[in-house]
Amino acid sequence: MRLNPGQQRAVEFVTGPCLVLAGAGSGKTRVITNKIAHLIRECGYQARHIAAVTFTNKASREMKERVAQTLGRKEARGLMISTFHTLGLEIIKREYKALGMKASFSLFDDQDQLALLKDLTKQWLEEDKTLLQQLISTISNWKNDLIDPQGAAGLAKSQRDQIFAHCYQLYDQHLKSCNVLDFDDLIALPTLLLQRNQEVRERWQQRIRYLLVDEYQDTNTSQYELVKLLVGSRARFTVVGDDDQSIYSWRGARPQNLVLLKEDFPALEVVKLEQNYRSTQRILKSANILIANNPHVFEKRLFSELGEGSELKVLSANNEDHEAERVAGELIAHHFINKTAYKDYAILYRGNHQSRVFEKQLMQNRIPYRISGGTSFFSRPEIKDLLAYLRVLTNQEDDSAFLRIVNTPRREIGSATLQKLGEWATLRNKSLYHASFDMGLEQTLSGRGLEHLQRFTHWLNEIIQLTEREPVHAVRDLIRGVDYESWLFETSPSPKAAEMRMKNVNTLFQWMTEMLEGDELNEPMTLAQVVTRFTLRDMMERGESDEESDQVQLMTLHASKGLEFPYVYLVGMEEGLLPHQSSIDENNIEEERRLAYVGITRAQKELTFTLCRERRQYGELVRPEPSRFLLELPQDDVVWEREKKVVSAEERAKTGQTRVAGLRAMLENAKKG
């Protein structure tokens, strides 16, 4: 497929800073992959001097595959395609000395972070869940804005912020003494290092001579700063983004970074991609007219050559159960008449709580479905606990895994003990596990803390010895030895939940045993290989499962970004849901409008909106108004379905069931036929 003139211009402009404003479905990934090929084949760049950065593992995997198809593995060797956080990690790994760190640092995930902060802040926050969550997001925002603990203390006005700044200080000290980084450090640390250290900055500007950034509208302050430091005054870069799809301001994303580019790089070349290859003209016209209600620095209008397409539909329902019933009924009928696949349909909603009634309806009607962004097996706490034990068995240098298990189940080893152990380990340049056996540790640590710690590490040492001879027995002894089942019954909300969690542990143990023993198809693996396989699976699976099975897709509007479906149901189009009530109260409707725009532009062929006359909210019945976004659409292209007569609830339930039963019978017969 040939590039259109806009895409061609975006690919060939390489002499200075370039912003590609890529509307929904306008082929931006093609532009990025073709531009990389153009830089290597036509402009004399070596692959190892080019870096392309995006936001999710999934996007970077897709980009790698597309580039490999365009260039071939050999030409693409050395090319860096990664997420922002992986690029940050790469810089930290190479520059750990300049950062004053040990080479063997560990990473904290959000659960590790929560556990540590809960422990460190007990006397101020008293384990208050809401305050803890607020503290975590405040620390994250500070790091994203490149503010260190001293800076935060200087900025703190209210008493709450002063306490938060103090907690940030304690948290920061703890991470440093244990040689641990959290997710936000992966951007903040390299950015601050490049700012302060000219030698390192010049080294990376030589290493990355051309930079491409995807989804640029999602960058926060530190990510934009990192981009500026990497490109330097040469400013050989391309950023691709769409200000109309910026829906992450609550996570620190700043759509105004698009405006800043023009100020920071006056020679900026702006290329607009306005031809959409995804949706019908009617869907795009509606999206254009809706988003025109937001103020814009750069104007653009999407167009399509895929034909006019059918009108957009608005269905009304009496309440949320009826809404789910109607969507299921419409979907079954549409699927039957048009002989489509289930995976061609998506049901999109503003909040996760809306999914339950749809799940119930789809389940009752035996329609296969998948919820995106649900909890994956590997991100369950009990699986992460067991994986952390296995990581320490196979690598005693893994400090973050050690920190996760040292007090799970509780062994009365507090954060003060761990901080002293961390300081001693740094001094001796050893891992936390190995440092715990040092004779000299008694100089800084004594009494019960030392006794509990050494009892644990000596027991662990016995398991490690056994692991080399009999890994399956070792792991079984480990689960029994820590009495993990009792711990689950102590900490789970109900016995039923504890049983489910123990079942998950047994499932993992069973998988592991099969992998260690091998079978006729697979060679036996070592425990270290099994652990690596599991850990990677966990990191890749975070909300990014790639199963291509035939299922209706249910997801939030946020999760739908970047995806496309032939038939879309956008449900709950009411004031208070979309736009969300909090944004109405704060008079911040623009981001909600962008969210509606993202939802509309997911649809390729047909788009149906639904809304309720009544809805239960927090236990009370409300009568919502239709969403203002429905009224902002071009009404000539929208059909509002009005139900003629008023039907009682009993009659409706009866006819609804009869209709669905009839459709189901038709389907069953069709299958037999």
Side-chain angles (χ1 to χ4, degrees), residues 285 427 452 472:
K285 178 181 161 192
L427 194 69
H452 289 305
V472 179

Side-chain angles (χ1 to χ4, degrees), residues 453-673:
L453 175 70
Q454 290 188 331
R455 187 185 306 151
F456 170 61
T457 52
H458 281 91
W459 168 77
L460 201 55
N461 191 39
E462 288 168 19
I463 300 280
I464 290 167
Q465 305 300 319
L466 181 59
T467 304
E468 286 157 22
R469 301 190 306 277
E470 309 227 357
V472 179
H473 284 306
V475 179
R476 187 175 293 131
D477 285 1
L478 182 135
I479 298 171
R480 285 200 192 122
V482 299
D483 198 6
Y484 195 73
E485 192 158 6
S486 303
W487 161 249
L488 286 180
F489 275 94
E490 261 170 59
T491 54
S492 296
S494 67
K496 189 97 189 96
E499 279 165 30
M500 285 301 294
R501 293 173 70 183
M502 196 58 208
K503 201 168 142 199
N504 291 336
V505 169
N506 290 331
T507 302
L508 188 77
F509 181 70
Q510 193 184 331
W511 288 354
M512 193 193 71
T513 309
E514 286 163 10
M515 290 159 84
L516 288 169
E517 290 170 352
D519 55 31
E520 53 272 18
L521 289 176
N522 301 295
E523 292 281 306
M525 293 166 84
T526 65
L527 188 61
Q529 288 169 326
V530 172
V531 174
T532 309
R533 176 77 54 89
F534 283 158
T535 310
L536 272 176
R537 180 111 160 245
D538 167 36
M539 291 172 91
M540 286 307 184
E541 253 192 20
R542 303 235 174 123
E544 289 183 7
S545 163
D546 273 341
E547 297 161 44
E548 256 301 296
S549 40
D550 191 24
Q551 298 166 312
V552 173
Q553 306 290 316
L554 272 69
M555 66 185 77
T556 63
L557 288 162
H558 281 102
S560 74
K561 190 164 160 282
L563 305 174
E564 52 188 47
F565 309 94
Y567 311 104
V568 169
Y569 293 91
L570 229 170
V571 301
M573 290 295 290
E574 300 145 29
E575 288 289 299
L577 261 184
L578 185 72
H580 198 274
Q581 192 56 47
S582 58
S583 69
I584 299 174
D585 298 341
E586 292 159 17
N587 199 14
N588 172 25
I589 299 293
E590 286 167 21
E591 181 140 339
E592 295 290 301
R593 191 176 280 111
R594 292 196 288 269
L595 208 46
Y597 174 84
V598 165
I600 291 170
T601 52
R602 298 313 92 201
Q604 295 169 298
K605 297 180 180 170
E606 291 176 28
L607 177 60
T608 305
F609 301 100
T610 66
L611 67 158
C612 295
R613 297 184 189 87
E614 289 183 343
R615 187 181 288 276
R616 275 206 179 283
Q617 263 179 343
Y618 310 114
E620 59 178 298
L621 213 54
V622 292
R623 302 185 75 87
E625 292 285 312
S627 166
R628 68 190 71 187
F629 302 147
L630 284 178
L631 308 175
E632 289 173 4
L633 297 173
Q635 297 303 311
D636 299 351
D637 296 292
V638 180
V639 180
W640 290 71
E641 172 238 45
R642 304 267 183 248
E643 289 201 358
K644 303 293 179 286
K645 61 179 181 123
V646 178
V647 188
S648 76
E650 289 78 23
E651 285 178 305
R652 207 189 61 255
K654 208 165 158 189
T655 51
Q657 283 162 355
T658 321
R659 181 166 176 236
V660 169
L663 284 166
R664 201 188 290 150
M666 275 160 60
L667 280 173
E668 294 298 331
N669 291 334
K671 278 181 195 159
K672 286 174 196 156

Side-chain angles (χ1 to χ4, degrees), residues 30-163:
R30 284 186 68 209
V31 166
I32 295 172
T33 46
N34 278 292
K35 187 150 196 171
I36 292 170
H38 179 74
L39 288 165
I40 293 170
R41 289 178 173 163
E42 312 293 328
C43 307
Y45 278 86
Q46 289 176 302
R48 63 194 169 90
H49 289 315
I50 300 172
V53 192
T54 183
F55 276 82
T56 63
N57 288 328
K58 188 172 173 204
S60 90
R61 280 204 304 276
E62 279 170 12
M63 205 179 286
K64 276 181 189 153
E65 282 160 19
R66 297 276 282 272
V67 169
Q69 285 163 9
T70 312
L71 276 175
R73 303 251 173 243
K74 197 168 163 217
E75 262 185 302
R77 186 166 297 131
L79 174 71
M80 264 193 83
I81 296 180
S82 71
T83 62
F84 262 107
H85 290 89
T86 312
L87 172 63
L89 183 60
E90 190 60 30
I91 296 175
I92 294 168
K93 273 183 186 161
R94 300 202 181 193
E95 307 293 349
Y96 69 90
K97 286 194 176 109
L99 283 159
M101 291 166 52
K102 286 195 302 188
S104 62
F105 58 85
S106 299
L107 294 181
F108 250 15
D109 67 12
D110 40 9
Q111 288 165 339
D112 299 327
Q113 186 186 26
L114 177 66
L116 173 62
L117 280 167
K118 196 168 166 181
D119 197 26
L120 289 175
T121 63
K122 238 181 220 135
Q123 68 186 91
W124 298 282
L125 307 187
E126 297 168 349
E127 300 193 10
D128 179 318
K129 282 196 176 122
T130 314
L131 277 174
L132 268 168
Q133 283 308 329
Q134 286 172 357
L135 173 65
I136 288 171
S137 68
T138 306
I139 290 177
S140 176
N141 291 339
W142 275 328
K143 288 191 179 190
N144 289 336
D145 289 338
L146 303 173
I147 296 166
D148 62 9
Q150 290 74 22
L155 289 170
K157 301 270 191 295
S158 66
Q159 191 189 359
R160 193 199 76 155
D161 282 357
Q162 285 166 356
I163 292 172

